[in-house]
Amino acid sequence: MIYVLILLPIALILFASKVKQKHRENNKPVIERSPLGDVNAQSVPAHRNAPPIQPTISREASGGAEHSLLIVDDQMPIRIMLRELFEQEGLHVYEAANGTSAIEVASRDKVDFILLDLKMPDMDGIEALQEIRRFNQTVQVAMITAFGDPDKLDKAKALGVKSFFTKPFDIESLRSHVLESLQSERV
C-alpha cells in the first residue's frame, strides 16, 4: 500500500510534465508575463521561482479570442488549472493572485467574465468587486469560495454576482457556466 502512495504522485508528476511538453510542441500561444507592480514593464519569460505575476496573451497570439476571462484566486494550482481549461476553449485568460492585482488587470484590460475567489489575503472578493464595479458595471462575475458566509454572499448578489461555486467545485459545471454566460452575452 505504501508503494502505491509513493508511486501515484510520481506518476502524476510525470504525466503532467508529458502534457506540458506536448502543449509546447503543439505551438500554443506564448504566454508573456510582466511583474504585477509594473504595468509598463517589458514582458519577461515565465519562471517557476519568480514572484507572483500576471500572464498576458495578446489578442493576436490567442487567435483573436472573442472573450476574455480573469481568474482571481490566491491558490496558484487553481489558477493554473482554470487558465489551461479556458485557454483550451479559446478564451483570452488573465490571472490575479489577489484583489489588488485583480483591480489592476480589470481596469487595464477588457475583461468579459471574472472568476473571483471570496477569501484572499489582501482584500476579500467583495472588496475587490466593489472597486471593479466603480469602473465596470457590466462584467459578469462568478464567486468561488470554500466558505459560504451568508452576509458576504448577500453583498456579492447586490454587486451583481449571480453564481457561486463552492470549493472543491465541479470543473465541468464551472466551465459550462462560464461558456454559456459568455455565449448568452453575445446574443
Side-chain angles (χ1 to χ4, degrees):
M1 182 65 175
I2 195 153
Y3 293 113
V4 171
L5 294 173
I6 293 171
L7 292 176
L8 185 60
I10 293 171
L12 289 173
I13 291 169
L14 290 173
F15 177 74
S17 67
K18 224 18 167 180
V19 168
K20 284 186 179 185
Q21 180 181 9
K22 185 161 180 101
H23 184 73
R24 282 188 218 112
E25 289 171 1
N26 288 335
N27 292 326
K28 296 292 180 185
V30 176
I31 298 175
E32 298 174 345
R33 299 178 183 252
S34 60
L36 283 176
D38 188 1
V39 176
N40 298 319
Q42 290 284 2
S43 295
V44 294
H47 190 273
R48 289 274 180 222
N49 297 325
I53 46 185
Q54 183 271 321
T56 307
I57 303 175
S58 70
R59 292 270 181 193
E60 296 77 28
S62 67
E66 292 183 38
H67 292 291
S68 59
L69 171 72
L70 171 58
I71 300 166
V72 187
D73 200 303
D74 57 324
Q75 297 176 8
M76 184 186 293
I78 290 176
R79 290 194 319 268
I80 291 171
M81 174 190 63
L82 292 174
R83 179 186 69 223
E84 289 179 2
L85 173 74
F86 287 110
E87 282 179 347
Q88 288 176 359
E89 294 296 335
L91 297 180
H92 181 87
V93 179
Y94 299 97
E95 286 181 44
N98 55 50
T100 304
S101 356
I103 294 164
E104 179 183 317
V105 171
S107 67
R108 169 182 82 214
D109 298 302
K110 180 188 178 300
V111 176
D112 301 308
F113 200 101
I114 301 175
L115 287 174
L116 182 59
D117 189 13
L118 182 60
K119 190 166 176 74
M120 295 180 288
D122 68 332
M123 68 172 65
D124 67 21
I126 301 297
E127 294 168 318
L129 184 54
Q130 287 172 332
E131 288 297 315
I132 291 169
R133 286 293 187 221
R134 290 182 187 196
F135 55 85
N136 189 337
Q137 296 291 318
T138 60
V139 67
Q140 298 182 67
V141 181
M143 285 282 197
I144 302 172
T145 181
F147 310 101
D149 178 358
D151 291 335
K152 296 273 186 184
L153 297 180
D154 287 341
K155 287 180 183 176
K157 287 177 185 174
L159 290 167
V161 177
K162 294 184 174 84
S163 44
F164 301 85
F165 292 88
T166 305
K167 290 180 185 176
F169 49 83
D170 176 25
I171 193 162
E172 183 56 34
S173 294
L174 181 65
R175 183 190 71 78
S176 296
H177 174 75
V178 170
L179 294 176
E180 287 171 9
S181 297
L182 289 171
Q183 193 69 23
S184 67
E185 174 188 272
R186 202 184 310 178
V187 174

